[in-house]
Amino acid sequence: MAGMFLVSVVVAGLAFYVLKRWVLSQRHDYAPLPPGPKGLPLFGNLTDLPKPGVPEYNHWLEHKDIYGPISSVTVLGQTLVIVSDHSAALELMDKRSNIYSGRPRMKFTEMYVKIQT
């Protein structure tokens, strides 16, 4: 009985994953990511992160040599954009800061303020 339940959970999870990937592949309203290593299903680039005991800067310098000054990795569904070049970081964070700056909307705070007034 427990084996059937486990099989049904695995099948349902796999069906959900395939459906999610298919739906996301149909969307074209997002910009392409910078180059980066190809990830594994579900885990992404978890194996491409720095290994324990290895200085992180060495790992990311090698990553920069392979994929360029701006690259991306996806780990467990979270995409990280890595900027390894000082001039590129200055361009993005200083000169184009009005494009990238902003705060997320805090719905609870907005709701609290409306209740208080």
Side-chain angles (χ1 to χ4, degrees):
M1 186 68 177
M4 287 295 290
F5 177 73
L6 182 61
V7 169
S8 62
V9 168
V10 169
V11 169
L14 187 61
F16 177 75
Y17 174 74
V18 169
L19 184 64
K20 180 182 170 190
R21 290 289 299 228
W22 181 76
V23 167
L24 290 178
S25 71
Q26 301 300 313
R27 290 181 29 195
H28 298 290
D29 60 342
Y30 53 88
L33 290 172
K38 184 81 172 155
L40 299 171
L42 298 177
F43 298 111
N45 301 106
L46 192 60
T47 58
D48 296 316
L49 294 178
K51 306 290 185 247
V54 176
E56 286 192 33
Y57 67 89
N58 283 341
H59 174 80
W60 295 118
L61 284 174
E62 292 174 10
H63 189 86
K64 175 188 173 190
D65 293 340
I66 297 170
Y67 298 106
I70 301 177
S71 60
S72 65
V73 293
T74 302
V75 179
L76 300 174
Q78 181 71 40
T79 301
L80 307 168
V81 176
I82 302 157
V83 181
S84 303
D85 184 49
H86 181 265
S87 61
L90 186 65
E91 172 77 22
L92 293 172
M93 301 299 177
D94 188 35
K95 296 180 181 174
R96 298 186 193 181
S97 63
N98 59 345
I99 297 172
Y100 305 116
S101 65
R103 292 188 174 189
R105 294 186 65 191
M106 294 187 257
K107 296 189 182 283
F108 179 76
T109 305
E110 292 173 5
M111 195 170 71
Y112 183 73
V113 170
K114 288 178 185 176
I115 290 173
Q116 294 296 319
T117 57

